[in-house]
Amino acid sequence: MTDEPEPPLWEQWAARSAELPDGERLQKVLARAGWGSRRTCEDLVAAGRVTVNGEVAVLGRRVDPDHDLIEVDGAPVGVRPDLVHYLVNKPTGVVTTARDTHGRPTVVDLVPGEPRVFPVGRLDLDTEGLILLTNDGELANRVAHPRHGVDKEYLAEVEVAGPGGRVAPGALRALRDGVELDDGPTAPARVSQPEPGVLRITIHEGRNRQVRRMCDAVGHPVRRLVRTRIGPLADRSLAPGEWRPLTLAERAALTEAVARVAHRYDPPT
Ligand code: URA
C-alpha cells in the first residue's frame, strides 16, 4: 500500500470546482485555437502555463470560449500566426465595404492584399479615423457586436449658431442621457466639449450614422467626424491613409476589453 498523502483541502476543492459540467474542456478549446493536439494542450495546462480570467487553470477545467479570457504564457488564445489585425486611419472619400460597386477606393485597398482581410464595422464615406481590418472573424464579431461591442470615441466638429460657438449644457446633457432617434433611443454616452463647437463622444452602440444623427437631434449638425479610439486602440501618429499592424499588447488588450464587456452584459450566474 502506498502512503500517498492526501492533497491539501484547497487543491481538492479547486479540482472539484474545475469539474463543473458547464462549458467546454479547456484542452479542446486550446487545440481548436491551434495550440497542438489535445494531449499537448493538457501538458500546457498541467505545466501551469494556461490562465483563465487571470487564474492558473487546473486540468479538467471547463471554459466558455466566448466569455472567458484564456491565455497561454500571458498571450490571449486567438493570437495565432495566421491572423492579422491592421489599424487603419481611413481618410474621407474611402468606403469601408470590401468592394465598391461604384469603383470608389476601399479601406481594403489601403493594406496588403494577402491574407485577405475585412473591415470591422463601418465608417461613413465622409467620416475619418480609426478602423480595424482583420481576418480574425471571431474577434471581429465581438468587437462589432452591438451588445458586446467595445466603446468607440469620436471627435465631432458641429455647427453652432449661438454666441461663443459653444454647444449649450442642455444639449450636452441630452446627448449624455440618450436622444430619441427614428430607430429608438440611444444608450447613455460620454460627451464633453474640449473646444467650443468640438464634441468628444464615446458610444458603444454601432448604429448607422449614429453620431451624426445624435448631433442632428440636438440641433448641431456634424461638419467633420473623426473616430479617435476603438476600445483600447488609439494612435495619433497614423496619417490619413496609413496603417500598421496591432502590437501583441494591443491584441491582448482588445481581447481582454471584449471579454470584459461580455461579462458586463452576461454576468456569470
Ligand atoms: N457615427 C456616424 O454618424 N458615422 C460614422 O461613420 C461613425 C459613427
Side-chain angles (χ1 to χ4, degrees), residues 79-123:
V79 176
R80 297 196 334 236
D82 57 319
L83 298 179
V84 295
H85 307 75
Y86 304 134
L87 188 64
V88 180
N89 183 356
K90 179 186 116 48
T92 58
V94 170
V95 295
T96 50
T97 45
R99 200 166 296 145
D100 185 51
T101 43
H102 297 92
R104 292 172 296 192
T106 79
V107 277
V108 172
D109 299 332
L110 297 171
V111 299
E114 286 296 327
R116 280 168 71 96
V117 291
F118 51 88
V120 179
R122 291 214 322 242
L123 289 178

Side-chain angles (χ1 to χ4, degrees), residues 122-124 127 154 207 209-213 225:
R122 291 214 322 242
L123 289 178
D124 303 332
T127 300
Y154 298 86
R207 296 200 234 161
R209 297 182 76 81
Q210 180 167 343
V211 172
R212 291 175 198 277
R213 291 190 293 139
L225 185 60

Side-chain angles (χ1 to χ4, degrees), residues 60-260:
R61 172 78 204 235
R62 285 176 181 269
V63 291
D64 175 352
D66 286 339
H67 291 158
D68 289 321
L69 175 63
I70 305 164
E71 291 168 305
V72 178
D73 297 334
V77 164
V79 176
R80 297 196 334 236
D82 57 319
L83 298 179
V84 295
H85 307 75
Y86 304 134
L87 188 64
V88 180
N89 183 356
K90 179 186 116 48
T92 58
V94 170
V95 295
T96 50
T97 45
R99 200 166 296 145
D100 185 51
T101 43
H102 297 92
R104 292 172 296 192
T106 79
V107 277
V108 172
D109 299 332
L110 297 171
V111 299
E114 286 296 327
R116 280 168 71 96
V117 291
F118 51 88
V120 179
R122 291 214 322 242
L123 289 178
D124 303 332
L125 183 69
D126 45 352
T127 300
E128 305 155 61
L130 299 179
I131 184 155
L132 187 63
L133 268 66
T134 184
N135 57 353
D136 184 345
E138 191 179 324
L139 184 68
N141 280 339
R142 294 166 74 173
V143 171
H145 196 290
R147 238 164 113 236
H148 297 170
V150 293
D151 57 11
K152 287 121 193 157
E153 181 188 273
Y154 298 86
L155 271 185
E157 188 187 316
V158 296
E159 287 179 22
V160 184
R166 291 191 78 85
V167 175
L172 297 181
R173 214 172 307 122
L175 288 170
R176 284 186 195 119
D177 292 347
V179 293
E180 195 60 49
L181 300 181
D182 50 15
D183 52 355
T186 57
R190 281 205 301 282
V191 181
S192 61
Q193 185 168 205
E195 284 173 23
V198 177
L199 304 183
R200 179 175 288 126
I201 301 181
T202 307
I203 56 175
H204 65 79
E205 300 171 289
R207 296 200 234 161
N208 194 26
R209 297 182 76 81
Q210 180 167 343
V211 172
R212 291 175 198 277
R213 291 190 293 139
M214 286 168 69
C215 293
D216 279 345
V218 295
H220 294 282
V222 168
R223 282 206 203 120
R224 182 179 177 195
L225 185 60
V226 183
R227 181 150 72 187
T228 50
R229 186 169 61 76
I230 305 167
L233 309 176
D235 189 334
R236 291 181 184 202
S237 66
L238 274 184
E242 280 186 354
W243 65 275
R244 65 167 175 79
L246 294 189
T247 63
L248 270 183
E250 285 174 325
R251 285 161 69 161
L254 191 59
T255 305
E256 194 176 330
V258 173
R260 225 184 7 247

